[in-house]
Amino acid sequence: MPSNLVRSIAVLAATLTVVSCGSDNPSGAAPVSVYANPQITVATSTGTFTSIYSPTSFNVYAFFGIRYAAPPVGALRWQPPTAPTPPSSTVVASTPGNACPQSVDVSPITQGEDCLFLNVWVPTSATANSKLPVYFWIHGGSLTEGTGAQFDPSVLAEQNNIIVVTINYRLGALGWLVEPGLLATSANTYQNVGDGGNYGLMDQQFAMQWVQDNIAAFGGDPTKVTIGGESAGGLSITSNLASTNTATGLFRGAIIESGAYMLHMVLSQTAYEAAFASAFDTALGCTQPADSACLRASSVAQILSAQSTAFGALGIAPDYGNKILPRSLISALTSGSFVQVPVLQGTNANEGRLFEPEFFPTPSGVANSQIAAAGGPASFDLSNANSFCASGAINQVCTYPQEINGFLGLLGLPSFVLTPTFGSQIAADYPLNDFPDPYLANNEPSSDEGLSQIFTDLVFSCNGLDSNNALSQFVTVYGYEFNDPNAPPVAGTNTAIMPPNDVDGFPTASEHGSELSFLFNVAYGDFQLSTNDQQLAQEMKTYWGNFILSGNPNMPNTSLPAWPEFTGSATTMQNLVPGSQKPASFTTFATDHNCATWEPFIAAE
């Protein structure tokens, strides 16, 4: 997929903000009364902080809002992170720091440009001599949304006796912009002269260095750090793996959840600047190349507005060809030029169901409830004249192959490929009868599910397979597919919607981000994990915890089935499914996701 639109669409696939549900305190007491009695105090290089109990477990201490870098404001905007001035007195770490500026509401967490904070979750049994493994979590959200405090890893920390750190990093243009006036004029830890962009990546590594310097005081072992992230957080993990000049030695393992979608797409610094810098300057009324003063004088609101104009909601991304990211992601992985540590990486079976409805225009005068009743926007368009399949100015009813070609056109496949024959061939690969919709009469087939699966395979599954194949030539890799047809939905949460998980007229199933409620204390609306789901969540926390403890999801004396390594000759994936049938490994992933069809387009990105 050569077009910029496809690169943008892939970044859209990272758009996810997961909000902690603030579960009731396990004792039944009001959380505020718990917070009145801080528990332990730890001195760090950036201040002395006193814990509270985790809002969801009396067996875990939580430290919220620890500043790890100076506020990146004024002259420090679009500069590498620097050490902060520690507070003069002990701080009760009961409140998350600001989320970095973004266009979505993350209440009750506040937003502000002064946002470089992290949170630490520690088992209450830990001592200064415990030397516990550490999980360093990078949130997703298309590199434009989210905050580390939205994730509550209490159960993961308690169950596996590990420490978990969640972080903020600069988002959007404030974290990833390349502009002529902002290029480095002198070399520093993260930049050579002339480097630009990747400030959010610098923040992530600066926070990792904070962990190296301070986690022992919490009972952690700085030599046993595993980094992990989902979606844009997973993209960040791959970027840190490829950051051989500056990230080496900061971690010993990596977990990537649905994060390979830009494996072939990250632009060079030169190309990134050419694609976006001029439009961003124009939107702010700044003039290149001496645009630094104008850019730094702009308000956050102006920057967010200009970001929307220049990048859309889609174009924020890392750039390579500089000190912190010397090579493209695919080049780094295939050449072995990455930080070589064990990797656990996988995708969800139905990633695209989170995004597919957003591609279809809502017809004038048609209520969303009508579209949902029809099974979703694509299914609606199979029975009603619409603009998506219009012939000139005349609306018409879509055929399934027409919808496929139109959808793939939006994903950036060139028009010369999208012939009627091609659409019919893809329809044969994704036959409607393979996608029954339980919300339609007689389980009628779902066009929306079919298109969502095309999105899943093209953007996530086959890129994830490429990443695992490349990594496994040099390091130990464990691959997985999360496949729970009744996982709670992520988007369009409606407490009136009851399981299995209908949002737009068809089941969300294992959509993008749905695995997060199986690893963290998060929930969506009134959904609760079923008994089978709770079992799967327990198994996943154990697998993840084992990997964090040892670099291997398998541990002796466990009832879980063995998780085989992924190798180029045996592309074995662990099938993470609910129910009494324990997860089983399988080797048909490439065929299941039609990767032979999509690889030529992925390779052309």
Side-chain angles (χ1 to χ4, degrees):
M1 284 172 275
S3 74
N4 285 338
L5 178 58
V6 176
R7 185 185 62 77
S8 298
I9 292 300
V11 180
L12 172 63
T15 304
L16 175 68
T17 301
V18 178
V19 182
S20 172
C21 65
S23 303
D24 290 343
N25 192 284
S27 72
V32 172
S33 66
V34 174
Y35 297 165
N37 299 297
Q39 300 304 305
I40 59 172
T41 298
V42 176
T44 77
S45 61
T46 59
T48 300
F49 302 93
T50 298
S51 72
I52 61 171
Y53 280 125
S54 159
T56 54
S57 175
F58 284 151
N59 296 315
V60 176
Y61 294 131
F63 296 81
F64 289 106
I66 294 178
R67 186 187 297 279
Y68 70 85
V73 300
L76 295 182
R77 180 187 280 178
W78 291 304
Q79 291 285 356
T82 58
T85 301
S88 57
S89 59
T90 298
V91 175
V92 177
S94 60
T95 305
N98 290 330
C100 292
Q102 52 197 278
S103 60
V104 300
D105 184 7
V106 291
S107 299
I109 299 171
T110 57
Q111 293 187 31
E113 199 171 358
D114 176 9
C115 62
L116 298 186
F117 299 93
L118 55 77
N119 316 286
V120 184
W121 309 77
V122 183
T124 56
S125 59
T127 70
N129 298 317
S130 293
K131 295 187 180 299
L132 299 182
V134 180
Y135 191 35
F136 183 96
W137 176 255
I138 301 176
H139 71 79
S142 72
L143 303 179
T144 63
E145 300 175 4
T147 172
Q150 290 173 302
F151 293 84
D152 179 354
S154 297
V155 174
L156 190 65
E158 178 181 348
Q159 176 178 312
N160 295 289
N161 198 31
I162 61 174
I163 292 174
V164 182
V165 178
T166 67
I167 70 162
N168 295 350
Y169 56 94
R170 279 174 282 183
L171 302 170
L174 289 166
W176 306 91
L177 179 68
V178 178
E179 285 281 3
L182 302 178
L183 303 183
T185 57
S186 59
N188 56 63
T189 300
Y190 300 110
Q191 296 175 306
N192 295 319
V193 174
D195 286 356
N198 294 328
Y199 306 101
L201 187 60
M202 298 177 203
D203 295 340
Q204 294 167 11
Q205 293 182 14
F206 202 74
M208 290 180 203
Q209 187 60 56
W210 184 96
V211 168
Q212 291 295 307
D213 296 338
N214 295 288
I215 207 65
F218 294 85
D221 188 338
T223 70
K224 299 178 181 177
V225 176
T226 298
I227 59 174
E230 184 269 345
S231 194
L235 169 64
S236 296
I237 299 304
T238 304
S239 299
N240 279 291
L241 286 173
S243 184
T244 49
N245 292 328
T246 55
T248 300
L250 294 177
F251 51 87
R252 69 165 187 176
I255 298 177
I256 305 170
E257 301 172 27
S258 306
Y261 57 93
M262 288 194 76
L263 180 66
H264 297 264
M265 288 179 164
V266 169
L267 296 177
S268 70
Q269 179 179 314
T270 301
Y272 194 82
E273 179 181 336
F276 299 113
S278 179
F280 189 78
D281 269 310
T282 298
L284 283 175
C286 300
T287 303
Q288 296 183 5
D291 51 3
S292 60
C294 176
L295 291 167
R296 291 196 170 97
S298 300
S299 69
V300 169
Q302 289 171 325
I303 288 169
L304 289 177
S305 177
Q307 173 183 310
S308 177
T309 300
F311 296 92
L314 314 170
I316 300 297
D319 64 278
Y320 74 87
N322 39 58
K323 182 177 181 180
I324 195 168
L325 197 57
R327 298 171 183 83
S328 71
L329 300 185
I330 186 61
S331 173
L333 268 54
T334 56
S335 67
S337 302
F338 61 91
V339 181
Q340 295 191 5
V341 297
V343 175
L344 188 154
Q345 175 169 221
T347 54
N348 296 349
N350 315 112
E351 305 264 9
R353 295 195 190 189
L354 180 65
F355 310 106
E356 183 265 354
E358 303 301 320
F359 288 87
F360 286 81
T362 301
S364 177
V366 176
N368 288 335
S369 59
Q370 291 176 266
I371 293 175
S379 295
F380 181 89
D381 287 353
L382 286 180
S383 303
N384 298 271
N386 60 85
S387 60
F388 189 72
C389 293
S391 177
I394 301 174
N395 288 352
Q396 62 185 41
V397 175
C398 295
T399 67
Y400 183 47
Q402 281 179 321
E403 286 188 326
I404 289 173
N405 276 347
F407 190 64
L408 290 172
L410 294 177
L411 296 182
L413 266 68
S415 58
F416 68 83
V417 171
L418 302 175
T419 64
T421 299
F422 183 79
S424 296
Q425 289 172 342
I426 302 302
D429 287 338
Y430 297 85
L432 275 175
N433 287 337
D434 283 359
F435 303 102
D437 184 345
Y439 298 103
L440 296 179
N442 302 315
N443 287 326
E444 290 292 323
S446 171
S447 177
D448 292 276
E449 291 183 30
L451 296 182
S452 294
Q453 201 58 44
I454 289 170
F455 188 106
T456 297
D457 298 348
L458 174 60
V459 175
F460 286 100
S461 301
C462 300
N463 275 300
L465 182 64
D466 280 358
S467 180
N468 278 343
N469 272 320
L471 288 163
S472 67
Q473 304 305 307
F474 303 96
V475 300
T476 301
V477 173
Y478 297 94
Y480 74 86
E481 179 170 70
F482 174 78
N483 190 0
D484 182 351
N486 295 315
V490 174
T493 300
N494 182 337
T495 57
I497 297 172
M498 298 304 292
N501 49 13
D502 169 40
V503 172
D504 294 294
F506 59 97
T508 55
S510 298
E511 67 180 352
H512 186 65
S514 58
E515 86 285 4
L516 291 172
S517 61
F518 291 71
L519 295 167
F520 296 93
N521 294 354
V522 296
Y524 310 103
D526 285 342
F527 273 80
Q528 300 294 326
L529 295 183
S530 68
T531 300
N532 284 342
D533 288 341
Q534 290 175 26
Q535 176 186 333
L536 176 58
Q538 176 74 15
E539 292 167 352
M540 290 174 62
K541 289 185 181 76
T542 300
Y543 278 133
W544 263 242
N546 288 347
F547 185 84
I548 293 162
L549 289 165
S550 68
N552 186 331
N554 304 291
M555 292 284 277
N557 304 318
T558 177
S559 61
L560 292 181
W563 185 329
E565 289 184 27
F566 177 104
T567 66
S569 58
T571 55
T572 306
M573 296 286 193
Q574 194 76 349
N575 194 16
L576 301 177
V577 297
S580 56
Q581 281 293 100
K582 292 293 187 181
S585 59
F586 67 106
T587 59
T588 58
F589 185 89
T591 302
D592 295 345
H593 294 279
N594 293 301
C595 291
T597 296
W598 302 121
E599 279 295 345
F601 301 101
I602 293 172
E605 292 169 354

